[in-house]
Amino acid sequence: MENIGERAAALKRKISDGALNAIRPLLPESLVTGWCQANGYRWRERLLSPLLILLSCAFKQLKCGTSARDVEDWWMQLAGLSQTRRDGKSFCDARARLPIPVFQYAYRHIGAAAQHWGGYAFGGLSVLIVDGTTVKAPRSHANCAAFGVPRNQHGAGGLPVLRVALVACAGSGAVLDSAWCPHHFGELRLLGQLLLRLPLGSLLLGDTLLGTYLTFSLLRQRGSYGLFPRQVSRKDNVLRRLGR
């Protein structure tokens, strides 16, 4: 007679094997397990493995408007079990336990594969795009202390805001790297962090703000180049005109 442990293992395999087949080959369980162990994360052998939680987070973001309850209903659908409406707490608790660096390793790994298959090159240089934005975070003591609340938000309901900068592949659009800081810091602070990790032999495209002498100096140290609109406050210094 099948015991509870064997039944749970079979159910776990059934859910994992059917989850997001488009990216599953890029995220083998051994790789995700290695990332967790490298960050000191220990877990019990349960239905919600680190791989399934990571895939569930990707599923939630890929489908706009998906809730934590919808994610758990998706598990039940994959397992072929009854569609009993769940509260989403199991997914939220498991997601909170997974270390943030595991998510970083995952998107960098998938981004590198996407760049290899669909990247765009110009003159032997990999073309990359960098840009920044701001993102609101859930209100908690930790987030408020780390990122702060903008001065234009008043009252106890103000949400912490962090500034994020992303480096993306120009061909596939996949995110290759990211950095974040409190909202009152500028994008140039984040760009400096990203340039130190920029792949060698890249052509980086960005907006006018990033076209500084420091940016070009750091790029040349990485054997890379930058292409940014000229700031109107600077005088023309044309080395060679390439055409219209």
Side-chain angles (χ1 to χ4, degrees):
M1 183 176 179
E2 184 181 45
N3 58 39
I4 296 178
E6 293 173 347
R7 184 177 181 182
L11 187 61
K12 176 181 173 181
R13 286 194 302 270
K14 193 171 183 180
I15 296 176
S16 298
D17 291 345
L20 295 182
N21 289 325
I23 63 174
R24 269 301 309 277
L26 299 175
L27 292 174
E29 187 162 12
S30 58
L31 187 63
V32 177
T33 299
W35 293 337
C36 293
Q37 293 174 345
N39 285 273
Y41 178 53
R42 300 292 182 266
W43 65 95
R44 294 180 297 170
E45 287 298 328
R46 64 181 86 194
L47 179 63
L48 304 183
S49 64
L51 173 63
L52 180 56
I53 294 304
L54 187 61
L55 294 175
S56 299
C57 291
F59 171 79
K60 186 177 186 301
Q61 296 302 317
L62 288 172
K63 297 191 65 176
C64 183
T66 301
S67 66
R69 289 182 175 182
D70 295 332
V71 172
E72 295 190 1
D73 291 341
W74 177 60
W75 295 344
M76 298 300 101
Q77 181 182 0
L78 291 173
L81 300 178
S82 59
Q83 294 293 320
T84 303
R85 187 64 172 169
R86 304 174 68 86
D87 58 7
K89 185 176 184 303
S90 297
F91 169 66
C92 292
D93 292 343
R95 179 180 57 184
R97 291 191 296 265
L98 202 61
I100 291 180
V102 174
F103 295 95
Q104 295 174 295
Y105 293 145
Y107 77 71
R108 288 172 182 166
H109 178 75
I110 294 177
Q115 184 186 24
H116 176 72
W117 292 329
Y120 179 70
F122 176 80
L125 302 172
S126 299
V127 183
L128 308 178
I129 301 173
V130 62
D131 203 0
T133 186
T134 55
V135 179
K136 293 181 180 180
R139 184 173 181 86
S140 66
H141 292 295
N143 285 341
C144 289
F147 305 117
V149 178
R151 295 179 180 178
N152 60 355
Q153 294 188 20
H154 303 285
L159 295 175
V161 177
L162 61 152
R163 192 175 300 279
V164 180
L166 303 175
V167 174
C169 170
S172 65
V175 174
L176 304 178
D177 200 359
S178 67
W180 60 85
C181 65
H183 71 95
H184 55 269
F185 291 111
E187 291 181 12
L188 289 177
R189 179 189 182 103
L190 296 176
L191 179 64
Q193 301 177 30
L194 295 173
L195 289 179
L196 296 176
R197 304 192 295 261
L198 195 72
L200 299 175
S202 300
L203 175 59
L204 188 64
L205 311 181
D207 56 25
T208 306
L209 177 65
L210 304 180
T212 66
Y213 292 110
L214 176 60
T215 299
F216 286 109
S217 176
L218 293 175
L219 283 170
R220 295 305 298 131
Q221 293 179 23
R222 300 290 296 173
S224 300
Y225 298 84
L227 183 60
F228 313 101
R230 182 181 64 86
Q231 297 185 9
V232 296
S233 60
R234 293 192 177 139
K235 296 181 179 179
D236 287 332
N237 184 16
V238 179
L239 299 180
R240 183 176 60 174
R241 190 170 298 279
L242 301 178
R244 297 183 63 184

